[in-house]
Amino acid sequence: GGGNMAAAGREEPPLGLEAVAEEAAAAAASAGFRLTAVRREPAVRLQHGASGLEPLAWSEDHRVSVSTARSIAVLEQLSDVHSGGQDMVIHRTAVPAPGAACMLKVGPKKEVAECKEKFASSVDPTVSQTFMLDRVFNPEGKSLTPMRGFKYSSWSPLGCDANGRCLLAALTMDNRLTIHANLNRLQWVQLVDLTELYGERLFEASYKLCKADTPCGELGDFPEFQRRHSMQAPVRMEWSGICTTQQVKHNNECRDVGSVLLAVLFENGNIAVWQFQLPFLGKESITSCNTIESGISSPSVLSWWEYEHNNRKMSGLIVGSAYGPVKIIPVNLKAVKGYFTLRQPVVLWQEMDQLPVHSIKCIPLYHPYQKCSCSLVVAARGPYVFWCLLLISKAGLNVHNSHVTGLHSLPIVSMTADKQNGTVYTCSSDGKVRQLIPIFTDVALKFEHQLIKLSEVFGCVRTHGIAVSPCGAYLAVITTEGMANGLHPVNKNYQVQFVTLKTFEEAAAQLLESSVQNLFRQVDLTDLVRWKILKDKHIPQFLQEALDKKIETCGSTYFWRFKLFLLRILYQSMQKAPSEVTWRPSHEDAKILISDSPGMGSTEDDQEEGTSKQASKQSLRDTGKGVDIDDTAEDSLHQSGDTGGREPMVEKLLEIQAQIEAVEMHLTREHMKRVLGEVYLHTWITENTSIPTRGVCDFLMSDDGYDDRTARVLIGHILKKMNKQTFPEHCSLCKEILPFTDRKQAVCSNGHIWLRCFLTYQSCQSLVYRRCLLHDSIARHPTPEDPEWIKRLLQGPCTFCDSPVF
């Protein structure tokens, strides 16, 4: 395999010659890969400096985690349809670092304290010095500064926590590995401390990995003391994809259960593979933990290798070393359906060339010439990118590898990859980012690459980490000030800044051809589209036509939800931005201004209430709900003082609102059909399931203009099954019947109003209910007496915006 390196060296410009490299990049760019990076506001200021390796990670559910010296800052990107501001909408939370230092469990407390005392005061300087200066033995420091902050964080795939979102695995500088979930909107909860659990396991097994191991030495021997620490000090951890396991129930039925694996790489080269049942709730969700010996000395980084070949799934772990070698270690997965593994390790790079492997990404791709799936493994080694193409053919496993040189003149500090098309981004600390696009050749592949100079976007900056968004629309970068006039800055301000990697046209095309068909999972793309519409105040013609065509030809409601999204943003763009911040108290003079402005025709009362009215109208508009459209339109025009153009503007807004209503109605009816289908399938007798079946049927049939054959047939079957029973819903306050006249709320004859659950259409009469992420709709909590199918319905996302429900 290593033979390709010389060839690659001839193709690539020699190291260090930046001018040549940039010429090559320019040539690549002219081949049609020109990327224009545009700054995206806002930049988010961090309270503490970034820490650890690869301090930035972007989850599949659009949250960016930033490891800092005191906490992990989490920035969640929302594509808010209710705000007219052009900036990105970012919701910010944090996972604080634990207060106490983490002590690895290497033996009984008393014995450990005695040994530490002994080593610290040893007359042999090789023991005392090594002991005192080792941060694994002495995390709280004593004479050294304490180890604060985070070393690494890693996001699980989508669908692992109780809300079906991503979990965050966090590793502190002092070796504590914990898993966190964000179950309500604001706070992170620690679900489990894996360092503690693994320490307990080792202690019970008296620090032997398998029964045949020779009995271990005494804790009082310094080498044994070191060994027990290095076998449980984590270097990195990575999540696998979600896999299916079979669980046998009491009645011997088998049911499929989702599970996910977390591989933890330790300092001595061992890897612990934890298996968790989904949804992950804590200690009780752990199914197993197996330890594998990788045989790699000084391991530095880890990545999962997941490969599908003829419907057989292969898996393994790619491990890199601080000395240079990279290899794949087989992972035997017990009880996981359809998984196979390698018979022995595969060496991808064997030279001990002292180039540390800093980061590894494994990207599944399709090989257009060999007509099969393949894996591209990319590793940052010093200033070079090492790549390896793996594909399975009749002859066995083929491995092609080489290096791409001449990309950076400094070591690569961070690397990230767009999993959808295999594009890789690398960055060095001098603010230079390279985009590498893999191009397949008959045999293996080559990379087209080009330079993105962040100095052209942000001015002179130093870069500490990069991460690409899930659909490749944005690049997040941690920056601090660069040199000014040849001098380093006095203070460092750490910021997370965003750069666009796609144009609006590319984002729109990707959304139209999407295979996931879920707006929430493509927030980075919808945000680019939102930005464009808010700037231009109209939906581009090509997008409108392409979308209408999709709606005509495809049965999927995804395109209707996309249309609803575009209309809502268009509606926001027509609103006039508030001239004043709504939460700031208004001053006296503002009152006079409003009452005196010509054409208001205000009475005495109005003068008193002028400001509060203005503010309340604005706050109404902010929530985007229950807004009287004439009011806001009139209001925005008064502020602009444009009396002539008032009518057409109001007309336009009314027209958009009517379109929004029509699309929402269509989506509601489609979902109602789905709910009724479930009711028909799962109710054997005509018992009352908590779904207002008769109300939904009547509501669907009430509009003469709505003629849907499927709905008519379905309703006919259900009404036959129900006979003459009606099972009305009753108001819990006055016991009156709740009629089903409105899809969003139920109003009884005494005027009590209850909101309806948009997943089951039942009225929510309890004080607690859930809301979707964008506050579009509400849903009730499942109750213990709900049958399985209703619980399944209640797990669904919002029918209008695809976002999860909390």
Side-chain angles (χ1 to χ4, degrees), residues 5-72:
M5 190 170 173
R10 281 197 300 277
E11 289 166 14
E12 304 288 348
L15 272 172
L17 298 179
E18 286 243 302
V20 188
E22 296 193 8
E23 266 176 40
S30 62
F33 289 114
R34 190 75 197 113
L35 173 74
T36 47
V38 181
R39 181 180 189 151
R40 183 79 171 96
E41 295 295 344
V44 180
R45 174 103 179 257
L46 297 173
Q47 280 134 331
H48 307 285
S51 70
L53 297 159
E54 295 282 348
L56 209 53
W58 205 318
S59 74
E60 286 177 23
D61 62 358
H62 305 280
R63 294 185 281 196
V64 181
S65 64
V66 195
S67 305
T68 75
R70 293 287 182 276
S71 65
I72 293 180

Side-chain angles (χ1 to χ4, degrees), residues 87-252:
D87 284 3
M88 232 181 200
V89 182
I90 290 171
H91 180 255
R92 185 171 176 163
T93 47
V95 182
C102 169
M103 293 298 179
L104 299 177
K105 191 173 177 67
V106 290
K109 267 203 174 123
K110 190 170 170 231
E111 197 184 331
V112 173
E114 285 166 8
C115 290
K116 284 191 167 184
E117 195 59 46
K118 178 181 138 189
F119 298 140
S121 55
S122 167
V123 286
D124 180 354
T126 58
V127 172
S128 59
Q129 298 263 354
T130 309
F131 174 77
M132 292 303 285
L133 293 173
D134 195 309
R135 303 316 302 265
V136 179
F137 308 148
N138 295 305
E140 76 277 35
K142 302 284 190 289
S143 55
L144 308 163
T145 51
M147 296 285 275
R148 296 288 301 270
F150 287 86
K151 194 189 290 186
Y152 190 64
S153 68
S154 173
W155 290 99
S156 78
L158 200 59
C160 291
D161 77 358
N163 290 327
R165 300 191 71 186
C166 303
L167 296 162
L168 182 64
L171 176 60
T172 59
M173 283 290 190
D174 58 8
N175 299 305
R176 191 192 302 268
L177 172 57
T178 48
I179 296 179
H180 302 259
N182 172 215
L183 297 173
N184 57 23
R185 295 280 291 116
L186 300 172
Q187 141 206 31
W188 286 83
V189 184
Q190 180 182 308
L191 298 178
V192 70
D193 180 338
L194 292 180
T195 297
E196 193 184 320
L197 292 182
Y198 197 67
E200 292 288 340
R201 279 167 174 265
L202 288 175
F203 181 67
E204 282 160 19
S206 58
Y207 300 91
K208 293 191 296 189
L209 284 175
C210 56
K211 302 279 186 286
D213 271 7
T214 48
C216 55
E218 291 299 309
L219 187 59
D221 302 337
F222 195 53
E224 175 61 19
F225 184 80
Q226 283 176 306
R227 183 185 83 89
R228 289 189 190 183
H229 275 92
S230 76
M231 72 194 297
Q232 53 178 319
V235 181
R236 290 278 180 105
M237 63 289 172
E238 295 294 345
W239 297 88
S240 72
I242 292 178
C243 40
T244 316
T245 52
Q246 277 195 334
Q247 196 184 47
V248 181
K249 298 204 297 206
H250 298 300
N251 58 1
N252 278 346

Side-chain angles (χ1 to χ4, degrees), residues 18 22 24 27 56 129 161 168 208-209 346 351 368 443 458 525 535 548 573 601 629 631 662-663 695 699 769:
E18 286 243 302
E22 296 193 8
L56 209 53
Q129 298 263 354
D161 77 358
L168 182 64
K208 293 191 296 189
L209 284 175
V346 176
E351 306 296 325
V443 189
F458 303 127
L525 296 172
K535 271 195 305 195
D548 290 342
S573 74
I629 194 147
D631 259 19
V663 177
F699 182 81
Y769 48 76

